[in-house]
Amino acid sequence: MAALSSLESQADPSFATTLAHGLDLLAAFRNHTGPLSNAELAEHTGLSRPTVSRLSYTLEQLGYLRRDAKGRFVLGLGVLAAAYPVLSSLKVRQLARPLMRDFAAYTGGTVSIAMPFGLDFIYVETLRTTDAVPHVPDVGFVSSLAPTAVGRALLSLFTEDERDAYVARVKAERPEELDYVERRTLPDIELCNERGFAVSLGEWRREIFGVAAPLYRTPTGECLSVNCGIPSFRFSAEQIERECGPRMLGLARSIRSLVAND
């Protein structure tokens, strides 16, 4: 993130580098559920210790970070407060819950609604009917678009120019993923466009089969898709393709109808 911020600032004189570095600190907690010290934050962001100390102090004063008993930092409630207007504006979350609950009961998995977040997706709603699954994500969960059914469903909503920009950004920021994107992700996007749903059979996590369908683009251009992460022992790969995929397509159509008539 720090390297990207540096590149952005060089390319755009209006880019606020200090603000970007502060957000880099908050982003460092995405893949770390526990507390982080200033030294660990410096390691994860590539920023200097003095810079991290100033930024963490400021973020603590503003409520975006707080200290634990050992003086390390965890995210504060200010982060949640900042996210509330985004989540509350997505009425699809409330409208879709009954349908999502039914699908979760059918599969024994976790049903979520996702939006693109750079090269990743982020869940804005998630629902499950049991905790007896190997992966139980929640709202705010972030992961890569490339190997996931939900990512392919989201990318199927992109324009050709947006998809080209996505591939270019993968090449620049995650070159280790480029071969996979060209060999697997892009063909599966085309397949999703043809049949209306996407699958990922243990590609993201071996014990999870994913099935997803695109929902729609908002008036401001944001993409949404719905997906279900299913324990691989519950359905065979053939059943995912033959049964769960068409049902997921039906779920997406029902959600779109609810939103259109709201």
Side-chain angles (χ1 to χ4, degrees):
M1 290 292 291
L4 177 60
S5 298
S6 177
L7 290 173
E8 293 279 5
S9 64
Q10 292 173 16
D12 186 352
S14 298
F15 189 84
T17 304
T18 301
L19 173 60
H21 288 337
L23 296 175
D24 287 344
L25 246 66
L26 297 179
F29 289 89
R30 286 183 200 148
N31 298 319
H32 300 85
T33 56
L36 295 172
S37 66
N38 275 334
E40 290 168 326
L41 286 168
E43 180 182 353
H44 291 310
T45 60
L47 300 172
S48 69
R49 285 283 297 276
T51 298
V52 167
S53 295
R54 290 194 299 272
L55 291 172
S56 61
Y57 173 81
T58 302
L59 290 168
E60 181 186 13
Q61 297 305 305
L62 295 174
Y64 294 102
L65 293 178
R66 60 182 177 85
R67 293 180 187 266
D68 68 1
K70 295 183 178 180
R72 297 170 300 181
F73 290 101
V74 296
L75 290 176
L77 292 177
V79 175
L80 184 60
Y84 174 76
V86 177
L87 295 175
S88 64
S89 68
L90 295 171
K91 301 302 182 184
V92 64
R93 298 172 62 242
Q94 292 81 16
L95 295 171
R97 280 173 189 158
L99 298 175
M100 293 168 64
R101 185 176 295 109
D102 289 344
F103 198 92
Y106 155 65
T107 61
T110 303
V111 181
S112 306
I113 294 175
M115 299 175 70
F117 187 63
L119 296 179
D120 300 319
F121 66 84
I122 184 168
Y123 282 156
V124 296
E125 183 60 271
T126 187
L127 192 148
R128 58 185 178 272
T129 57
T130 175
D131 289 330
V133 293
H135 175 62
V136 284
D138 211 334
V139 172
F141 175 78
V142 174
S143 191
S144 175
L145 290 166
T148 56
V150 69
R152 293 161 186 173
L154 286 169
L155 289 165
S156 75
L157 291 168
F158 281 28
T159 66
E160 185 176 350
D161 287 345
E162 289 170 337
R163 202 174 304 170
D164 289 344
Y166 164 75
V167 175
R169 189 169 174 184
V170 170
K171 183 177 181 179
E173 299 176 30
R174 297 180 185 173
E176 71 281 0
E177 288 188 8
L178 182 61
D179 178 69
Y180 184 92
V181 166
E182 293 178 336
R183 180 170 45 86
R184 295 296 302 273
T185 307
L186 295 180
D188 279 3
I189 294 169
E190 295 302 325
L191 186 58
C192 180
N193 281 326
E194 291 174 11
R195 62 185 183 180
F197 66 90
V199 300
S200 176
L201 302 175
E203 295 171 62
W204 175 65
R205 292 181 60 159
R206 185 170 53 185
E207 70 275 17
I208 297 291
F209 285 168
V211 59
L215 286 174
Y216 55 85
R217 296 189 73 140
T218 69
T220 58
E222 297 284 359
C223 301
L224 291 92
S225 68
V226 60
N227 84 297
C228 186
I230 305 169
S232 58
F233 62 82
R234 291 190 62 90
F235 292 90
S236 67
E238 182 183 1
Q239 287 175 309
I240 294 292
E241 295 272 3
R242 188 182 68 248
E243 301 174 18
C244 297
R247 283 179 179 250
M248 176 58 69
L249 177 58
L251 172 63
R253 287 171 173 164
S254 296
I255 292 174
R256 285 196 294 269
S257 177
L258 285 175
V259 172
N261 294 323
D262 180 49

